[in-house]
């Protein structure tokens, strides 16, 4: 009998044939909790940091009953580390003009971190990774047979600019490689920078595309200072995350070069400076949307809410959701910070299909009471050039 994966090679799927499933507020809340380890907020000292992430999966558990979809999921899972596009629901190779093939491996303590691909995007860097370790090392760590070693803290240096302590996210493929290694898509926000070489963050809210020269090649290093793993349940004393997960300190550094001319040319900035009055559920204030940035990979939105009455702590949330021209909710991740009366958010949406129009819908919700209201009378549209 042929190997299952050999039979599935070359399978594909048209995601447009399948119904998009809208999650309820309670389902989103549960999903956020499950994704907490995969979305790491930036480390800041000034104000308490809040972070949220909603990942609307292209393949749902119900859809996995369909053999064609399952075949495609397996195919994707075997190539995510090699093809950044596949996890973004983009055609294979469609980002070739923006990304760099690296195929360099760093080894420390018997563990290999291979950077397959690297791509500079608007405000972030994306790395397609493969992490592997021999059986001896896995046994010494107390890993389960199917447990993975995951990427930890990352420091990125572009020219003389060093980025660290920024928000990051990790997408892990659902099926390991035949050799026992795992593939990841790692995204690090390039928003906090050490620009003078003193080892301390001296610039926040940094936008790397605004500070690099077009048509110039920059040396770049990607240094993982730690890796993470889930311990064997037999070796844990409690269900506490700190007891059930371990950290490996080390130095896994890969060097290459990048040129940002193409991504700079194809990233569009749309200043909005939109102010929307809010008066719902005892919360009054102004919701301000600064700008929208659209790159071939992502759509980014910055907004603030300043309350003049009531508190935005305790589960109350004021924000903005985005739909495309077909009414499809765009997948999102978000990070930000807040006090009782002021909240600032940076939200990112996956630009995974042709988008020609964005519809912005303000909302007010209460996560504790599982209540939400779309303020459709304040919704507005923006035409975008997504080429």
């Amino acid at each position: 009998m042929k190997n299952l994966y050999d039979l599935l090679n070359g399978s594909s799927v048209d995601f447009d044939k399948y119904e998009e499933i809208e999650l309820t507020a309670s389902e989103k809340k549960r999903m956020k909790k499950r994704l907490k380890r995969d979305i790491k907020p930036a480390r800041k000292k000034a104000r308490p940091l809040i972070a949220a992430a909603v990942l609307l999966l292209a393949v749902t558990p119900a859809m996995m009953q369909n053999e064609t979809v399952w075949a495609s999921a397996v195919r994707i899972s075997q190539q995510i580390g090699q093809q950044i596009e596949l996890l973004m629901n983009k055609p294979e190779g469609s980002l070739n003009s923006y990304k760099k093939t690296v195929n360099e491996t760093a080894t420390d303590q018997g563990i290999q971190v291979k950077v397959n691909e690297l791509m500079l995007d608007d405000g972030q860097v994306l790395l397609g990774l493969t992490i592997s370790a021999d059986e001896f090392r896995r046994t010494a760590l107390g890993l389960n047979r199917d447990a993975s070693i995951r990427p930890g803290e990352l420091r990125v240096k572009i020219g003389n600019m060093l980025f660290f302590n920024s928000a990051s996210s990790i997408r892990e493929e659902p099926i390991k490689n035949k050799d026992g290694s795992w593939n990841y898509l790692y995204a690090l926000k390039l928003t906090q920078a050490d620009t003078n070489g003193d080892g301390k963050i001296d610039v926040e809210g940094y936008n790397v595309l605004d500070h690099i020269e077009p048509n110039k090649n920059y040396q770049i290093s990607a240094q993982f200072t730690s890796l993470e793993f889930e311990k064997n349940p037999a070796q844990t004393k409690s269900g506490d995350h700190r007891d059930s997960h371990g950290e490996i300190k080390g130095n896994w550094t890969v060097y290459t070069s990048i040129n940002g001319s193409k991504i700079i040319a194809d990233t569009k900035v749309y200043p909005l400076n939109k102010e929307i009055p809010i008066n719902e559920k005892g919360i009054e204030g102004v919701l301000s949307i600064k700008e929208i940035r659209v790159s071939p990979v992502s759509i980014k939105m910055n907004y603030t809410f300043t309350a003049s009455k009531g508190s935005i702590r305790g589960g109350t949330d004021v924000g903005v959701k985005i739909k495309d021209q077909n009414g499809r909710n765009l997948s999102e991740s978000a990070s930000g910070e807040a006090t009782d009366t002021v909240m600032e958010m940076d939200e990112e949406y996956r630009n995974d299909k042709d988008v020609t129009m964005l519809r912005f819908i303000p909302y007010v919700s209460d996560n504790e009471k599982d209540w939400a209201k779309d303020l459709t009378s304040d919704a507005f549209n923006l035409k975008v050039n997504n080429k």
Side-chain angles (χ1 to χ4, degrees), residues 120-175:
L120 183 64
D121 184 32
D122 180 32
Q124 65 181 343
V125 64
L126 307 173
L127 290 83
L129 304 171
T130 301
I131 298 181
S132 58
D134 57 33
E135 192 66 29
F136 176 81
R137 183 59 181 169
R138 294 174 61 86
T139 301
L141 290 171
L143 266 67
N144 280 337
R145 181 174 182 178
D146 293 326
S148 57
I149 299 176
R150 300 168 55 82
E153 295 298 325
L154 174 63
R155 299 166 68 93
V156 170
K157 188 172 185 179
I158 302 176
N160 295 321
M161 302 174 290
L162 181 62
F163 301 88
F164 59 97
N165 286 355
S166 296
S168 63
S169 64
I170 305 170
R171 297 173 188 170
E172 179 179 346
E173 69 174 30
I175 302 174

Side-chain angles (χ1 to χ4, degrees), residues 81-152:
Q82 305 293 333
Q83 290 288 341
I84 287 175
E85 297 94 326
L86 293 179
L87 199 57
M88 297 180 175
N89 198 15
K90 284 181 171 290
E92 185 173 349
S94 61
L95 298 176
N96 282 348
S97 60
Y98 303 101
K99 64 184 182 180
K100 174 74 176 288
T101 299
V102 181
N103 289 333
E104 295 290 338
T105 301
T107 303
D108 192 3
Q109 303 175 63
I111 303 174
Q112 294 79 41
V113 175
K114 181 183 179 183
V115 178
N116 304 302
E117 296 182 335
L118 182 146
M119 178 176 169
L120 183 64
D121 184 32
D122 180 32
Q124 65 181 343
V125 64
L126 307 173
L127 290 83
L129 304 171
T130 301
I131 298 181
S132 58
D134 57 33
E135 192 66 29
F136 176 81
R137 183 59 181 169
R138 294 174 61 86
T139 301
L141 290 171
L143 266 67
N144 280 337
R145 181 174 182 178
D146 293 326
S148 57
I149 299 176
R150 300 168 55 82

Side-chain angles (χ1 to χ4, degrees), residues 24-84:
T24 66
S26 60
E27 289 172 332
K28 289 181 180 180
K29 186 177 179 181
R30 289 195 297 270
M31 184 174 286
K32 288 177 184 180
K33 290 182 179 179
R34 292 198 298 269
L35 292 174
K36 187 176 181 181
R37 273 205 310 124
D38 295 341
I39 309 294
K40 298 182 179 180
R43 298 176 183 175
K44 294 186 179 180
K45 299 179 181 179
R47 291 182 287 174
L49 181 72
I50 60 175
V54 177
L55 179 60
L56 303 181
L57 302 178
V59 181
T60 68
M63 290 164 57
M64 294 300 278
Q65 297 176 11
N66 183 291
E67 293 181 2
T68 303
V69 177
W70 173 244
S72 180
V74 172
R75 183 185 68 88
I76 290 174
S77 74
Q78 296 297 302
Q79 301 180 59
I80 286 174
Q82 305 293 333
Q83 290 288 341
I84 287 175

